[in-house]
Amino acid sequence: MTHDYQDYWNDAANEKNKPYAVQSVDDPRLLRWLREETNLERGFADAVDFLCSNLNWSGGRVLDVGAGVCWTSAILSRLSQVTAVRAVDYSRHRIEEYAPRVIEQFGGSPDKIDAVVGDFSSIAESDRFDLIVFCQALYMFSDPRAMLQKCRTQLRAGGVVMITCEQIEPEYSLGQALYWKTILRTAVRGRADASGRHRMVASDYRQALEQTGFKYHRQDLSYAFIPSAIDCPGANHFGIKEE
């Protein structure tokens, strides 16, 4: 994500009516959004299960990039094998006002979670993690390969990058892919929607992970993450740093 969208994500008044604007621990809007109106919590939980069961992730320190109100950090903090979670987001009101309530809502372990206002570039080069999470976050960066290369630098050997709850558009057909690559990509390169989200499909994630040296794994799902946007089955994506 670039700094061009900081005003969008720091507009607290504009977010008051969004489900993420949790006003109290008893506010049900976020839970309803994640569990009933979308499949986002389900998708994230399935990703965590795949990480632990299929990839045999042994645990350690986690970096949650674009953590927002920290519902993902809360879920991760409940895992016994997670020792600490660094949750980073440059939306100040989400981190400082909403996140503490959400962490309590989800039964998270606040002692494990260090929620900070900033972005990925603010993480010290010497800081090392065993898992880096992008939940609805990698597609906010115009150059995902640059972000994944930074992940390789900051992951310990055997560490994993987990990209979840992002794909909400169907894969290109061969004809669409050729048209996009030869014409449209040149015309709209660098552009995103009002929030900063760039269009990505499943093959984009695989390509970006493999080109940055990760061993790629994909978890196909039978449901869409956000059915109201498009009814396209989602997938979670993983890259393992093998060296």
Side-chain angles (χ1 to χ4, degrees):
M1 189 187 301
T2 68
H3 292 273
D4 298 341
Y5 298 93
Q6 280 202 33
D7 289 343
Y8 178 94
W9 291 107
N10 280 288
D11 188 348
N14 186 52
E15 291 213 309
K16 284 293 185 183
N17 294 321
K18 294 182 179 180
Y20 292 93
V22 176
Q23 300 301 304
S24 71
V25 176
D26 298 322
D27 187 341
R29 291 180 298 164
L30 178 60
L31 294 175
R32 186 167 57 241
W33 167 253
L34 294 174
R35 295 174 179 175
E36 300 175 20
E37 299 174 23
T38 72
N39 289 310
L40 293 175
E41 185 183 23
R42 179 184 178 187
F44 188 76
D46 281 345
V48 172
D49 183 66
F50 187 91
L51 171 74
C52 298
S53 300
N54 295 63
L55 302 184
N56 299 312
W57 183 69
S58 59
R61 296 186 70 221
V62 179
L63 174 63
D64 192 353
V65 181
V69 297
C70 294
W71 65 271
T72 49
S73 297
I75 291 173
L76 290 165
S77 75
R78 301 193 312 237
L79 300 177
S80 60
Q81 63 265 50
V82 168
T83 58
V85 181
R86 176 81 59 80
V88 179
D89 195 284
Y90 62 43
S91 175
R92 183 171 296 278
H93 60 278
R94 289 191 174 201
I95 287 290
E96 295 182 350
E97 182 180 353
Y98 303 146
R101 301 166 188 161
V102 171
I103 292 169
E104 185 175 353
Q105 273 191 335
F106 278 82
S109 299
D111 292 344
K112 286 187 181 181
I113 302 172
D114 177 23
V116 296
V117 179
D119 60 20
F120 200 3
S121 64
S122 67
I123 303 298
E125 289 278 336
S126 59
D127 216 350
R128 293 293 179 267
F129 300 91
D130 301 285
L131 173 67
I132 298 179
V133 175
F134 294 88
C135 181
Q136 295 187 291
L138 186 63
Y139 59 18
M140 306 303 291
F141 296 93
S142 60
D143 187 354
R145 282 180 292 275
M147 295 302 103
L148 292 172
Q149 190 59 56
K150 182 171 173 59
C151 288
R152 278 192 60 81
T153 300
Q154 310 227 222
L155 279 171
R156 296 189 179 99
V160 179
V161 57
M162 181 171 83
I163 305 162
T164 177
C165 299
E166 296 204 356
Q167 183 192 353
I168 61 170
E169 299 189 50
E171 186 65 87
Y172 301 112
S173 67
L174 177 60
Q176 289 172 321
L178 291 173
Y179 181 69
W180 175 257
K181 289 179 179 179
T182 57
I183 300 177
L184 294 181
R185 187 165 285 177
T186 301
V188 302
R189 181 178 290 124
R191 297 184 187 178
D193 66 16
S195 71
R197 184 178 74 87
H198 296 80
R199 187 184 194 280
M200 290 181 68
V201 296
S203 59
D204 293 327
Y205 293 103
R206 176 169 192 154
Q207 185 178 56
L209 283 163
E210 290 184 338
Q211 287 181 348
T212 48
F214 287 97
K215 183 178 180 181
Y216 175 74
H217 294 267
R218 170 172 168 167
Q219 179 191 33
D220 288 306
L221 303 171
S222 62
Y223 53 86
F225 291 131
I226 307 178
S228 62
I230 188 166
D231 192 16
C232 171
N236 293 318
H237 309 273
F238 305 82
I240 300 176
K241 180 180 177 180
E242 295 187 297
E243 62 184 61

